[in-house]
Amino acid sequence: MIASSIAASGMAAASARFEQSAVRTARAPLENLETEMVERIGARTAFFANAGVMRTADDMAGALLDILA
């Protein structure tokens, strides 16, 4: 299903954004700390939103299989 692959791609991108922000903070802990926190919160929100899309796509596929059975 295309929605699942799009959501998986979005989750991977959000995870990468979070990881990159953590690396930047580890390199320079006191430089742009507030910007990096906002970036991590945004990445976390994007990850959970994409996880919700994936859950919904899975539920829809299950409902379709129930109808066809």
Side-chain angles (χ1 to χ4, degrees):
M1 183 175 263
I2 196 163
S4 295
S5 63
I6 292 171
S9 175
M11 290 170 71
S15 182
R17 279 178 47 205
F18 190 93
E19 180 68 27
Q20 290 166 357
S21 175
V23 167
R24 286 191 300 267
T25 301
R27 287 186 186 147
L30 299 178
E31 187 175 310
N32 294 325
L33 184 59
E34 63 279 352
T35 304
E36 295 302 336
M37 287 302 296
V38 170
E39 175 67 18
R40 277 184 243 154
I41 291 169
R44 179 176 161 250
T45 302
F47 185 90
F48 285 127
N50 282 295
V53 169
M54 188 170 283
R55 226 180 354 264
T56 301
D58 185 50
D59 290 345
M60 289 173 57
L64 179 63
L65 290 174
D66 288 343
I67 290 170
L68 296 175

